[in-house]
Amino acid sequence: MLIKEYRIPLPLSVEEYRVAQLYMIAKKSREESQGVGSGVEIIVNEPYTDGPSGSKNGQYTQKVFHVGQHLPGWLKALLPKSALIVEEEAWNAYPYTKTRYTCPFVEKFFIEIETKYFNDAGHQENVFQLDSADLGNRIVDVIDIVKDQLYGSDYVKQEDPKFYISHKTNRGPLSESWVQDYWRSQCDGDPTKAIMCAYKLCRVEFKYWGMQTKIEKFIHDSALRRVMLRAHRQAWAWQDEWFGLTMEDIRRLEKETQEALARKMAKSSDESELLDGRGSDNKLSGDRRSSKVSNAINKENDFDSSTLKMGTQSNTNIRTLSNTSEQNLRQSYNQKFDMNWKMTSFSNESDTTSNEEFYDAEG
């Protein structure tokens, strides 16, 4: 297991960030959800009184993230449905939160994120009260929303703190020395220069021999860190949208978002069934599933076959898939495509995969 503690200073108070975080999650849920194959279903969103780490009087959410749209067609055709979803459980007893991600298809894998928020600049050394063993394994990574840069499609100039100025609060832009400047002002009692820090203890476990170290490092470096950097820049740059909202406003927005996403997922599911010609029994025959696999492979001829790392026998299996039933297809897949191949393929496709759907990792 790879343990990292991310420390993310922000020019906000802990009280302000509570609203900013929840608003951001609701907004991104709506923006990123496109229906079946892409988006989030909010299964449960309700108060709780007995949570993890002794947390009381919080909000529990259970979500299902659909990631099929972010995988290439040939891979989607081969994978069972359980491989195309990520499940999330979250306990929000602000200023403490805990989020856990799992994938039904990958049994020995999870991501767990505990977060604590303090009105400081990130100088506390053991806010999670780790024992000596975990402290020895923990890596501390400070994320600076100004100095750390995003590239390509992740970068949006309007969200860059070096340029952003709030019309409602007149805050910004931020200089590269903003952390030191704001902390000094807060220590001097200046109420106009609030500063807080999100301490995020992230545990990633991918317990498969031969791939564990590589995959755990990949998830931290290429997924979690990038998502958190962009999300916290957005929390700052979207303040004209959330500034002045109350928690009652946020709960109403969350309810509206849950209902809107449910309608979108239901509509997309109905349309998908009609396009696929599944009929009333909602099932594809084995021959049609096999044909779908064959067509997907033929259409996606632009992928680099060298990344698949499959031998001659595996290539033969793919060519004969169109003559098998759905049951035989899955048996062949389970026997011939081992975990090393699957995760290597996912890693090689990572540059074209969006990480934006894992909203609570951002908060």
Side-chain angles (χ1 to χ4, degrees):
M1 180 189 299
L2 182 57
I3 303 174
K4 279 194 174 185
E5 182 181 310
Y6 298 92
R7 299 178 185 176
I8 313 172
L10 286 170
L12 301 169
S13 68
V14 170
E15 291 73 22
E16 285 181 305
Y17 185 70
R18 184 185 188 190
V19 172
Q21 173 201 38
L22 296 174
Y23 174 84
M24 176 181 63
I25 291 171
K27 178 177 177 177
K28 292 179 74 64
S29 295
R30 289 201 183 203
E31 287 183 347
E32 296 293 328
S33 295
Q34 301 173 11
V36 172
S38 177
V40 56
E41 287 184 271
I42 303 174
I43 309 301
V44 179
N45 184 14
E46 63 187 17
Y48 72 84
T49 56
D50 186 15
S53 298
S55 59
K56 303 291 183 181
N57 300 321
Q59 194 79 6
Y60 171 78
T61 57
Q62 179 184 359
K63 301 176 184 178
V64 174
F65 295 91
H66 298 266
V67 299
Q69 289 290 73
H70 302 299
L71 298 177
W74 60 269
L75 186 56
K76 279 194 297 182
L78 291 173
L79 293 174
K81 288 184 178 180
S82 61
L84 306 180
I85 64 172
V86 174
E87 297 177 349
E88 175 200 279
E89 287 187 287
W91 297 262
N92 189 334
Y94 198 84
Y96 169 83
T97 65
K98 180 177 180 178
T99 307
R100 184 178 177 89
Y101 297 97
T102 56
C103 176
F105 186 60
V106 187
E107 295 179 354
K108 300 178 182 179
F109 162 74
F110 71 83
I111 300 173
E112 186 175 279
I113 304 171
E114 288 187 87
T115 308
K116 291 186 177 182
Y117 305 90
F118 292 93
N119 287 313
D120 64 37
H123 58 266
Q124 298 189 61
E125 286 306 317
N126 191 13
V127 298
F128 296 99
Q129 300 179 342
L130 301 177
D131 58 30
S132 58
D134 283 342
L135 277 175
N137 293 325
R138 178 197 66 174
I139 300 171
V140 175
D141 185 351
V142 178
I143 296 178
D144 190 315
I145 63 171
V146 174
K147 292 181 180 179
D148 292 344
Q149 287 300 304
L150 295 167
Y151 301 95
S153 60
D154 285 335
Y155 178 79
V156 178
K157 185 175 181 179
Q158 292 82 357
E159 297 171 358
D160 192 331
K162 290 186 295 186
F163 305 109
Y164 173 76
I165 300 175
S166 168
H167 296 295
K168 285 188 177 181
T169 66
N170 202 34
R171 296 168 176 168
L174 300 178
S175 68
E176 291 198 352
S177 62
W178 78 269
V179 175
Q180 295 79 10
D181 297 340
Y182 274 60
W183 179 240
R184 189 181 305 111
S185 296
Q186 182 160 299
C187 291
D188 291 340
D190 184 351
T192 66
K193 297 289 180 68
I195 185 170
M196 59 155 286
C197 182
Y199 293 80
K200 291 184 168 291
L201 186 68
C202 301
R203 295 179 171 94
V204 176
E205 182 169 278
F206 184 84
K207 208 169 184 179
Y208 290 92
W209 185 84
M211 295 292 291
Q212 182 168 2
T213 301
K214 178 182 178 181
I215 295 299
E216 289 177 356
K217 187 176 186 301
F218 165 77
I219 291 171
H220 270 290
D221 295 345
S222 299
L224 289 178
R225 195 183 198 281
R226 186 173 65 182
V227 168
M228 289 189 288
L229 173 57
R230 182 174 183 186
H232 286 81
R233 287 164 69 110
Q234 289 173 330
W236 171 250
W238 292 352
Q239 65 184 275
D240 283 347
E241 300 176 35
W242 56 256
F243 186 79
L245 295 180
T246 65
M247 284 305 300
E248 289 73 20
D249 296 328
I250 291 295
R251 295 302 177 212
R252 183 172 62 254
L253 177 62
E254 289 176 335
K255 184 177 181 180
E256 293 172 355
T257 299
Q258 182 175 2
E259 293 171 350
L261 293 177
R263 290 193 298 270
K264 182 177 291 188
M265 295 298 294
K267 180 180 179 181
S268 298
S269 179
D270 292 341
E271 291 175 350
S272 178
E273 289 180 15
L274 289 174
L275 291 174
D276 289 346
R278 295 182 214 185
S280 60
D281 62 356
N282 195 32
K283 294 182 179 178
L284 285 173
S285 68
D287 290 341
R288 294 193 64 184
R289 167 61 75 91
S290 302
S291 176
K292 187 177 180 181
V293 172
S294 180
N295 291 338
I297 293 174
N298 291 334
K299 290 179 180 179
E300 300 271 344
N301 57 12
D302 59 335
F303 71 88
D304 184 357
S305 60
S306 64
T307 64
L308 300 184
K309 297 185 178 178
M310 297 189 299
T312 304
Q313 182 63 43
S314 298
N315 290 329
T316 302
N317 288 337
I318 288 181
R319 288 194 295 269
T320 60
L321 284 176
S322 58
N323 297 320
T324 64
S325 66
E326 181 175 6
Q327 180 180 1
N328 290 335
L329 168 66
R330 291 187 176 180
Q331 290 176 348
S332 176
Y333 171 80
N334 290 331
Q335 294 170 357
K336 300 300 181 182
F337 300 93
D338 61 16
M339 184 57 65
N340 182 71
W341 173 81
K342 284 181 282 187
M343 297 313 301
T344 300
S345 297
F346 294 154
S347 298
N348 290 335
E349 292 293 334
S350 63
D351 289 340
T352 58
T353 300
S354 170
N355 296 305
E356 291 304 305
E357 292 191 345
F358 299 94
Y359 312 114
D360 281 1
E362 305 164 342

